[in-house]
Amino acid sequence: MTTVDVALGARSYPIHIGPGLLDEPSRWRDAIGGHHVLVVSNATVAPLYLARIEAALGGLQHASVVLPDGEQHKTFDHVARVLDALAGLGASRDATVVALGGGVIGDLAGFAAACWMRGIAFVQVPTTLLAMVDSSVGGKTGVNLPAGKNLVGAFHQPRAVVIDTATLDTLPPREYLAGLAEVVKYGAIGDAAFFTWLEDHAGALLAREPAAVIRAIAESCRYKAGVVARDEREDGERALLNFGHTFGHAIESEAGYGTFLHGEAVGIGMLLAARLSADLDRAPAADADRLERLLERLGLPTHVPADLDAEALLARMRLDKKAVSGHLRLILWRALGAADIVGGVADEAILDVLRRGRTTG
Ligand code: NAD
Ligand code: GLY
């Protein structure tokens, strides 16, 4: 087992990473205090792993809530279901919520934990690669509104993150690859040596070789843990984790939710941001070429669909949460492995990169 610590003073917590951790509760159960535990999962993940979590909770008073699967269910209504279940369990302030699933369940269950009695403990047990390397670490929790994704939420750090890498065995290939895009992001924004390692181990990662997968998860968590420890509330550096996201969110919503997985759209967005950085003479074009080659090797899309209009994409980019007073701010490269928040980029430059990034024919 590898353990990475998120250093936040009294709220510090471990991220345990390894195969079979669900069956080795002695390695993580001390993160659960009190007597009441509510496990939150969904209809896809619960049949696969809930019984093993329940076995690990022997001796505690526990219950579970199984929500329907899908981003469209990341709503207040389902938070209310979790809160009702906590009430039904008789959960006191020392109760713990365990989030078993991908980012949707982690965000929602974490938000419910932040709300119950103004905040109780929760443990993240992520089962998608994206959740293992990104959403389970750092304490951003929340739900969607009809007006937009993740508009409501709270910063609420987990007590522990338990990553059983063997749960990836059941993850569909497309979800796995989308998670790899977020892994590439960490190399791209902050660690050129890790990016090179990913280039060298792309084949092993595609084959899901355990040692390579564990190393990729551990390096990603280590990087994100460092950023979160330095800038928990996203006053500065944490915004760099949104590399590719302003373009990516626009592509995701303009293509229609469900067309692209989030990680796929972020992959295209990272490449557009890299190309724009080169256009603005901020970073070498050869670095953007390297990023394109790695994304292609990992089987990720690298082009904006031909039917998406550049003006419409730019309009969507303006709704980004990083925009200040209506002015767009983008994460751009200084070089592969080094990024900055940049404002004042001319619309024409953004439109140009969007048009050139489209598939042809
Ligand atoms: P997801 O939770 O919808 O999971 C993707 C799919 O995989 C679902 O159908 C799920 O049921 C299934 N699944 C999960 N684990 C499985 C397993 N081991 N075997 C088989 N199927 C499995 O999606 P996601 O990509 O994990 O997370 C996306 C969500 O994360 C979004 O809501 C996004 O806003 C959020 N997010 C949050 C943060 C954060 O910092 N809090 C960061 C990034 C993304
Ligand atoms: N996913 C971006 C963050 O956690 O800040």
Side-chain angles (χ1 to χ4, degrees):
M1 181 177 81
T2 303
T3 298
V4 173
D5 289 309
V6 183
L8 286 167
R11 291 174 300 115
S12 298
Y13 55 92
I15 305 168
H16 300 304
I17 306 162
L21 289 186
L22 292 187
D23 300 319
E24 295 179 53
S26 58
R27 316 247 274 183
W28 52 269
R29 226 188 83 164
D30 53 359
I32 296 176
H35 291 288
H36 296 110
V37 182
L38 183 72
V39 186
V40 182
S41 192
N42 76 17
T44 303
V45 177
L48 297 168
Y49 303 112
L50 180 58
R52 282 159 64 192
I53 286 279
E54 286 178 335
L57 299 176
L60 298 171
Q61 213 180 324
H62 58 87
S64 59
V65 179
V66 178
L67 301 176
D69 187 0
E71 181 75 36
Q72 71 274 26
H73 300 296
K74 197 171 125 181
T75 59
F76 268 122
D77 286 355
H78 287 115
V79 172
R81 262 189 67 185
V82 176
L83 297 175
D84 285 343
L86 283 164
L89 187 64
S92 42
R93 290 210 63 198
D94 58 353
T96 303
V97 170
V98 174
L100 172 69
V104 167
I105 289 297
D107 281 13
L108 186 151
F111 185 52
C115 295
W116 180 253
M117 296 193 176
R118 300 196 183 87
I120 59 169
F122 86 112
V123 172
Q124 290 271 22
V125 184
T127 59
T128 64
L129 184 56
L130 179 137
M132 292 175 184
V133 300
D134 190 357
S135 61
S136 67
V137 176
K140 282 189 183 176
T141 71
V143 293
N144 303 326
L145 288 183
K149 278 181 69 172
N150 297 327
L151 285 179
V152 178
F155 282 99
H156 188 56
Q157 299 292 343
R159 282 290 159 86
V161 182
V162 179
I163 300 179
D164 183 338
T165 50
T167 61
L168 292 175
D169 291 350
T170 54
L171 190 68
R174 210 177 144 196
E175 295 286 352
Y176 175 75
L177 296 179
L180 281 182
E182 300 282 357
V183 173
V184 170
K185 179 187 77 179
Y186 296 118
I189 59 172
D191 190 343
F194 181 46
F195 190 94
T196 302
W197 183 88
L198 291 171
E199 290 175 320
D200 293 343
H201 294 81
L205 291 168
L206 283 172
R208 304 198 193 193
E209 284 177 18
V213 173
I214 290 170
R215 169 95 186 261
I217 293 171
E219 289 299 324
S220 299
C221 288
R222 208 166 279 130
Y223 186 80
K224 183 161 182 183
V227 172
V228 169
R230 291 188 293 273
D231 180 24
E232 183 184 6
R233 296 269 168 159
E234 199 168 313
D235 296 317
E237 181 187 2
R238 188 164 176 172
L240 300 180
L241 299 178
N242 291 313
F243 184 57
H245 283 59
T246 309
F247 284 108
H249 284 149
I251 292 167
E252 238 183 315
S253 57
E254 187 64 15
Y257 283 109
T259 307
F260 285 106
L261 295 179
H262 175 71
E264 294 171 337
V266 165
I268 301 170
M270 290 194 291
L271 189 56
L272 292 168
R275 293 253 172 258
L276 180 58
S277 308
D279 291 354
L280 299 174
D281 286 330
R282 298 178 52 86
D287 286 355
D289 295 339
R290 265 179 84 183
L291 176 61
E292 180 164 13
R293 279 196 299 276
L294 179 57
L295 293 172
E296 278 174 354
R297 278 193 69 197
L298 295 174
L300 286 159
T302 50
H303 288 91
V304 180
D307 59 339
L308 298 191
D309 178 61
E311 302 268 0
L313 287 168
L314 179 58
R316 291 204 186 252
M317 288 171 71
R318 291 195 193 291
L319 300 175
D320 187 72
K321 286 209 273 297
K322 284 185 302 305
V324 176
S325 309
H327 294 291
L328 203 51
R329 294 189 313 153
L330 294 170
I331 313 303
L332 296 179
W333 261 353
R334 241 176 296 139
L336 195 161
D340 299 300
I341 306 180
V342 179
V345 179
D347 286 359
E348 242 349 282
I350 298 172
L351 288 168
D352 187 45
V353 87
L354 283 168
R355 290 190 188 111
R356 290 200 336 268
R358 281 190 295 201
T359 42
T360 47

